[in-house]
Amino acid sequence: MARESGGLFAGFRALGRYSGPVPHALRYHGRHRQFYVTAAAGRSVHTYNVNKLGIVAVSNALLQDITCLAADRMLVFASYDNVLHAFARNKEVVHTYEGHKAKIHLLLPFGDHVISVDTTNVLIVWDIQSEEEYLQMDFDKAIFAVSAILHPSTYLNKILLGSEQGSLQLWNIKSNKLLYSFAGWGLGVTTLQQAPAVDVVAVGLVSGRIIVHNIKFDETLMKFQQDWGPITAISFRTDGHQVMAAGSTIGHIALWDLEEKKLISQMRNAHSTAIAGMSFVPGEPLLITNGADNAIRVWIFDGPGGTGRILRSRMGHSAPPTKIRYHGQNGEQILSAGQDGTLQSFSTVHERFNKSLGRGSINKKKSKRKGLQHDTMALPPITAFASEVARQNDWDGIVACHQGYITCTTWNYQKTSMGTHKLRPEAFSKNKPLDIYATAVDITSCGNFAVIGMSTGQVDVYNMQSGIHRGCYGKERAHEGAIRGVAVDGLNQLTITAGREGLIKFWKFKTKDLVHSTDLSSSPSGILLHRDSGILGIAFDDFGISVLDIETRKIVRRFSGHHGRINDMTFSPDGRWLITSSMDCTIKTWDLPSGCLIDCFLLDSAAVSITMSPTGDFLASSHVDELGIYLWSNRSLYSLVSLRPLPADYKPSMVMLPGTCPVQDVDAAGAEETCGEMIEYDSPEQLGEQLVTLSLLPESRWKNLLNLDIIKKKNKPREPPKVPKSAPFFIPTVPGLIPRYAAPEQENDTQSKVVNLGVLAQKSDFYIHLEEALSTNEYTTPLNLLKDMGPSNIEIELRGLAPEGGGSMEVMLSFLRMIGMMLNKKYNFELAQAYLALFLKLHLKILSSEPRLLEEISRLSTQLEETWIHLQTLFNQSLCVLKYMKSALL
């Protein structure tokens, strides 16, 4: 079975997604008087302002990743596969164009039309508003495979097409005529760009050659050659400098002087991947570039030599993250290590607080000289790291181990750089064995020591301030097999290590002595310690999970249900939930007190790493082949979520990864339906025959019955109420808890002065039903009548039971039997106590002089005493257990 809607976690937003392999589009907003950059990031379109490079809008997500992007003054056009969409206000899709049979790879807004070209060489001109085809043109792929498209300035209704064969064609769209064919240069055209001069077009070729050509006279004005592969993008400066920039597939940018026809400078490693898009801001010395390395950068040309420098940038991981962890206790920063070798910090508050700690390097000075492409000093990607904020202002607070590398590195969060120490065993200080490497790390809560586990089974301790080796566990090594996890408790008393041979060992942190060893049923793949509660989570190679209490050193919980390798685990801040992610593409939440699975959801991409916020508001995850970090909001903090155990045959539903824009939990109606059973639950009168059940009435209806005389004295008005001269019209109502309108009084011309004694002796409904109950022994109706009354009415009714108030001894006996019935059935317990207390207060003299009533009172006293002794015993037992739980060490 599957859950209908709603779960414990809801997709909130994505962090660290900025750009993709699709070229960006530059737009000018006339009313705002500033430029905006539109870039495709996955299935959404991001809009940045050039001034601060901050995200100002995120579009709704499409069904697939965007493969082509273009923009005009009003709309943004994006396509995936063979479908073209138009976004309005950078947000919602307003037009959809369907008609292509193959993937669209070229787009060009053209006035009231938009032109799209697919991979089968079909060109379609769409009417933007009507979404209808205006014109369709088919080209022979063997003769003219369209690879670039451009609308030359001042050329009305004309487009210029470039081909993979190298030739160019100028077409009139309105008349559907080929105006001119350019022979080309025998090499495929990759890009076309309009020059600031009319009739002049720059043509980029696959060989790296750039041709500046006059299409009016079919003359080549100048040629440039780059040795970095095909030209991917071209742009011209328009701020008074005759400069052309050209991008390459390896991330370099060349700047060419068009007046002197020579190379000015090179901007090497502008991106770590191919330059996808490049455009100069009109009239300003600013160049905007983006690439598939998940980065978008603004370069400014304000220095000597004509070389640009980075003015501002937004960048994430260029390869998927492998490990993420929250940094600090405020839940605002997430440390992330990626396959690109970098360690970065992403802020959950705002992107301006993001930090990049850079790439790991054996020798940073040599790495800077060699550059990114030829850096032989670069360290492998980080596989595991641990961080602590306690002493991060004084020295390094992060320690990391690298893939297949024996040396562990330290990192400084405050300086946003790699630290000063390289931690490795002294025996390997000179030689570097290939088959020995660090597998697990942890840092103490005080921030002074780092514990590192090796593939040989050795576990070492290092000082974080000095980097000095402070000892190791065991005589030669701590475990026979490779270390799968290390952890240190919150008070630096115990060090816990897990080995591949299936042992969990407990060591004294200071003396390095072995305290205890626990044999596991299978080989562990990783461990995670919740320091506050002393609970250790253990993941096994057979996809099982166990929870161990480090005080008793016993397994307290066992979980099974994953069908793939368990990638990561995280605890909720209070230690009640253990959340696990697996290669079966599920994320499961286990409730430790009940030992049950309470939530599970399925994703289309397996979560490689997960971490829970220290404040409990978000769960963060990173996934296979995904560059971003995805936040999931904890719905139990702001809505009613069922935490009941899931059935054994539960089938999780597929959940989509959230986008960059924060998502509100719009499925409120579905959540209400999910929890409708709890909202509409109607508590019965009696939960169980052996249980004492209270009523659902508020305290104000029964708690102050004995103090009504005091309350009336306090509330007694000092002055009599004054009738206003012109009182407003009100419909008269009958006094009571339930408002009811009074019946209209009949006006009589003559009023009788004789008092009707029958009116004074009128019996109430409660009195009548009590009389009937003497014979029927049914007290439910009079009890319900009494429960509907307010405190004052209850007192009046009980006063009227005595003979002096118009009642009788039989009715008083009937009332006591009603109380006895309530005590026998053990429901409305507090009402029975309150009603009996008020009855005794009002009629104590009569009760003491009437034998029948005294006999009933003695029977009630015995019942009350037995019930209270039973309750008191249960209360004392519960209080004793609670006190023991608080004080004892379990």
Side-chain angles (χ1 to χ4, degrees):
M1 59 179 295
R3 183 179 296 176
E4 292 181 0
S5 62
L8 187 56
F9 296 102
F12 181 65
R13 62 171 298 198
L15 302 176
R17 290 299 307 267
Y18 298 105
S19 176
V22 180
H24 67 263
L26 185 64
R27 310 170 70 196
Y28 180 74
H29 197 291
R31 188 157 53 88
H32 294 175
R33 295 185 178 180
Q34 62 176 328
F35 288 93
Y36 291 94
V37 179
T38 302
R43 296 181 292 118
S44 301
V45 176
H46 294 186
T47 302
Y48 306 87
N49 53 12
V50 176
N51 292 338
K52 297 182 179 179
L53 211 58
I55 293 182
V56 296
V58 178
S59 74
N60 297 330
L62 299 180
L63 298 179
Q64 299 179 25
D65 286 350
I66 296 171
T67 56
C68 204
L69 184 73
D72 63 6
R73 188 175 62 87
M74 298 297 294
L75 300 173
V76 176
F77 301 95
S79 69
Y80 66 87
D81 199 16
N82 61 344
V83 183
L84 174 62
H85 295 283
F87 292 93
R89 295 174 291 278
N90 301 314
K91 185 68 177 177
E92 64 271 5
V93 174
V94 292
H95 298 295
T96 301
Y97 309 93
E98 295 179 339
H100 282 283
K101 304 298 183 183
K103 177 183 174 182
I104 300 172
H105 73 109
L106 292 174
L107 285 179
L108 177 66
F110 195 70
D112 295 333
H113 302 82
V114 59
I115 303 172
S116 58
V117 184
D118 62 25
T119 53
T120 58
N121 265 0
V122 177
L123 183 148
I124 300 179
V125 182
W126 305 89
D127 185 277
I128 292 178
Q129 296 301 322
S130 65
E131 303 179 7
E132 297 177 353
E133 289 187 15
Y134 174 80
L135 176 66
Q136 179 171 330
M137 301 165 58
D138 295 338
F139 295 88
D140 188 353
K141 196 169 185 178
I143 300 174
F144 193 86
V146 181
S147 59
I149 185 170
L150 172 72
H151 167 57
S153 297
T154 71
Y155 281 58
L156 190 64
N157 300 326
K158 298 174 182 64
I159 58 171
L160 182 66
L161 302 176
S163 67
E164 295 177 1
Q165 288 77 15
S167 59
L168 284 77
Q169 293 182 2
L170 185 66
W171 284 80
N172 187 314
I173 294 298
K174 189 174 183 179
S175 60
N176 192 15
K177 289 183 179 180
L178 176 62
L179 302 180
Y180 190 78
S181 293
F182 301 87
W185 299 269
L187 295 168
V189 177
T190 58
T191 181
L192 295 171
Q193 180 63 37
Q194 174 69 50
V198 181
D199 303 326
V200 179
V201 172
V203 182
L205 306 179
V206 293
S207 63
R209 182 181 298 179
I210 306 167
I211 309 295
V212 181
H213 198 74
N214 188 311
I215 58 174
K216 183 176 182 180
F217 301 106
D218 194 9
E219 293 180 356
T220 298
L221 303 180
M222 54 191 78
K223 298 180 181 179
F224 303 102
Q225 178 66 44
Q226 295 180 184
D227 298 330
W228 301 326
I231 304 298
T232 57
I234 299 174
S235 186
F236 292 88
R237 283 183 69 172
T238 56
D239 61 335
H241 294 77
Q242 306 300 322
V243 175
M244 178 185 67
S248 64
T249 55
I250 60 175
H252 300 334
I253 297 175
L255 300 172
W256 301 92
D257 190 330
L258 299 179
E259 290 184 345
E260 299 184 8
K261 300 181 182 180
K262 67 176 184 179
L263 180 69
I264 301 176
S265 63
Q266 303 176 21
M267 296 165 58
R268 289 182 174 267
N269 303 314
H271 288 268
S272 59
T273 59
I275 306 294
M278 183 169 55
S279 55
F280 276 101
V281 178
E284 297 183 30
L286 298 177
L287 176 66
I288 302 170
T289 60
N290 78 297
D293 58 351
N294 196 21
I296 181 166
R297 295 184 172 96
V298 178
W299 308 77
I300 185 169
F301 296 84
D302 57 353
T307 304
R309 62 178 178 88
I310 295 180
L311 179 63
R312 56 186 73 94
S313 66
R314 291 282 182 265
M315 58 177 291
H317 285 291
S318 58
T322 56
K323 198 77 170 179
I324 59 173
R325 286 290 181 265
Y326 268 94
H327 182 66
Q329 296 301 316
N330 57 5
E332 295 180 356
Q333 297 289 339
I334 300 176
L335 283 175
S336 171
Q339 294 179 6
D340 54 0
T342 62
L343 182 65
Q344 300 193 31
S345 173
F346 294 97
S347 171
T348 60
V349 179
H350 198 276
E351 288 150 353
R352 65 172 177 269
F353 301 120
N354 291 359
K355 296 180 179 181
S356 176
L357 281 70
R359 294 183 59 177
S361 176
I362 302 173
N363 190 314
K364 288 193 286 187
K365 291 184 179 179
K366 290 183 179 179
S367 294
K368 286 183 179 179
R369 287 199 299 266
K370 291 186 177 183
L372 289 175
Q373 299 293 330
H374 307 285
D375 186 11
T376 57
M377 298 285 109
L379 288 171
I382 294 173
T383 56
F385 66 88
S387 68
E388 187 58 53
V389 297
R391 302 302 294 269
Q392 69 175 5
N393 293 325
D394 303 320
W395 51 74
D396 301 340
I398 304 170
V399 60
C401 61
H402 299 261
Q403 182 178 353
Y405 201 69
I406 191 171
T407 302
C408 289
T409 55
T410 60
W411 299 75
N412 196 302
Y413 186 81
Q414 298 296 101
K415 297 179 181 178
T416 63
S417 65
M418 197 175 78
T420 55
H421 304 302
K422 305 284 192 304
L423 309 178
R424 78 170 113 184
E426 295 178 355
F428 306 106
S429 58
K430 293 182 180 180
N431 57 343
K432 301 175 183 178
L434 297 177
D435 56 341
I436 300 175
Y437 51 91
T439 56
V441 292
D442 196 17
I443 188 170
T444 58
S445 58
C446 61
N448 289 306
F449 299 98
V451 182
I452 300 173
M454 310 293 292
S455 59
T456 57
Q458 184 176 348
V459 179
D460 299 280
V461 182
Y462 297 87
N463 186 282
M464 288 294 293
Q465 181 181 10
S466 61
I468 298 175
H469 185 265
R470 293 299 187 190
C472 58
Y473 295 94
K475 293 182 179 180
E476 294 183 359
R477 51 185 178 175
H479 289 266
E480 295 298 324
I483 301 298
R484 292 292 177 86
V486 294
V488 183
D489 68 347
L491 299 177
N492 290 6
Q493 298 297 312
L494 283 177
T495 299
I496 306 159
T497 60
R500 188 180 61 183
E501 75 279 4
L503 290 178
I504 294 284
K505 292 186 178 182
F506 298 83
W507 312 79
K508 285 188 177 180
F509 177 79
K510 190 173 182 180
T511 61
K512 313 292 188 300
D513 296 330
L514 180 64
V515 178
H516 183 76
S517 180
T518 301
D519 193 359
L520 302 174
S521 59
S522 176
S523 177
S525 61
I527 64 172
L528 179 68
L529 176 65
H530 187 262
R531 284 175 173 168
D532 293 340
S533 63
I535 296 296
L536 183 74
I538 308 169
F540 294 96
D541 287 337
D542 60 358
F543 315 147
I545 304 160
S546 292
V547 179
L548 184 142
D549 187 347
I550 67 171
E551 296 293 339
T552 61
R553 300 176 185 121
K554 293 181 179 179
I555 300 292
V556 294
R557 293 288 186 274
R558 297 183 190 273
F559 302 116
S560 61
H562 281 296
H563 304 290
R565 180 181 181 272
I566 297 173
N567 293 326
D568 203 0
M569 301 181 291
T570 184
F571 283 99
S572 62
D574 57 2
R576 290 182 61 90
W577 299 340
L578 175 62
I579 307 168
T580 58
S581 66
S582 169
M583 288 304 292
D584 58 9
C585 297
T586 60
I587 295 179
K588 297 189 176 185
T589 304
W590 311 87
D591 186 62
L592 298 186
S594 64
C596 298
L597 176 68
I598 59 173
D599 187 73
C600 175
F601 59 97
L602 182 66
L603 300 159
D604 57 356
S605 178
V608 176
S609 183
I610 56 174
T611 178
M612 189 77 174
S613 168
T615 56
D617 50 357
F618 291 114
L619 172 71
S621 64
S622 62
H623 300 263
V624 175
D625 296 333
E626 295 288 344
L627 299 180
I629 296 173
Y630 299 90
L631 295 182
W632 308 84
S633 60
N634 183 359
R635 296 181 66 245
S636 66
L637 297 181
Y638 58 85
S639 65
L640 191 60
V641 179
S642 172
L643 297 181
R644 287 175 295 180
L646 297 180
D649 58 346
Y650 176 75
K651 295 181 181 179
S653 57
M654 179 70 72
V655 178
M656 300 299 294
L657 293 175
T660 307
C661 184
V663 177
Q664 300 295 330
D665 197 2
V666 296
D667 197 16
E672 290 179 3
E673 292 176 5
T674 304
C675 303
E677 298 177 6
M678 291 185 288
I679 296 173
E680 298 174 2
Y681 177 74
D682 188 14
S683 178
E685 284 287 333
Q686 180 69 12
L687 297 177
E689 294 182 358
Q690 303 300 322
L691 299 177
V692 172
T693 307
L694 304 180
S695 70
L696 298 177
L697 294 181
E699 291 183 352
S700 60
R701 302 276 287 276
W702 57 268
K703 195 172 185 180
N704 298 317
L705 286 176
L706 293 177
N707 303 320
L708 280 178
D709 50 351
I710 301 174
I711 294 172
K712 287 179 179 179
K713 286 181 181 179
K714 287 184 177 180
N715 296 340
K716 185 178 180 181
R718 296 179 181 177
E719 299 178 0
K722 297 179 180 179
V723 180
K725 294 181 180 179
S726 56
F729 172 74
F730 291 104
I731 300 177
T733 56
V734 177
L737 294 176
I738 301 174
R740 287 178 295 182
Y741 296 114
E745 298 180 358
Q746 295 180 356
E747 295 183 359
N748 297 324
D749 296 337
T750 59
Q751 294 182 357
S752 175
K753 294 184 180 180
V754 179
V755 178
N756 187 356
L757 297 178
V759 176
L760 296 177
Q762 186 178 6
K763 299 177 182 179
S764 66
D765 293 340
F766 174 68
Y767 188 95
I768 295 171
H769 284 94
L770 274 182
E771 280 185 327
E772 294 175 355
L774 284 171
S775 58
T776 61
N777 203 25
E778 180 60 43
Y779 291 98
T780 305
T781 304
L783 177 59
N784 291 335
L785 289 173
L786 209 58
K787 289 171 67 175
D788 292 336
M789 296 179 187
S792 299
N793 287 347
I794 293 173
E795 186 188 27
I796 293 171
E797 291 288 352
L798 295 190
R799 283 187 186 275
L801 298 180
E804 59 189 20
S808 63
M809 293 298 176
E810 288 75 13
V811 177
M812 294 179 69
L813 183 64
S814 179
F815 178 83
L816 291 176
R817 288 178 180 174
M818 182 185 75
I819 300 296
M821 179 271 298
M822 296 168 67
L823 294 177
N824 282 333
K825 292 189 175 180
K826 296 181 180 180
Y827 68 86
N828 295 317
F829 188 72
E830 81 279 21
L831 295 185
Q833 305 281 338
Y835 295 162
L836 182 59
L838 180 60
F839 183 80
L840 293 175
K841 179 182 177 181
L842 295 176
H843 308 302
L844 189 59
K845 291 182 180 179
I846 303 174
L847 293 172
S848 60
S849 61
E850 183 63 34
R852 286 192 303 168
L853 296 180
L854 274 176
E855 184 182 353
E856 190 68 30
I857 285 291
S858 63
R859 192 181 298 113
L860 283 178
S861 177
T862 305
Q863 280 184 281
L864 278 172
E865 190 174 0
E866 291 177 356
T867 308
W868 176 246
I869 289 174
H870 177 65
L871 276 179
Q872 194 174 30
T873 304
L874 294 177
F875 286 153
N876 289 337
Q877 288 178 356
S878 300
L879 290 172
C880 181
V881 172
L882 283 173
K883 191 172 183 180
Y884 177 75
M885 294 284 288
K886 287 182 178 180
S887 58
L889 293 176
L890 295 180

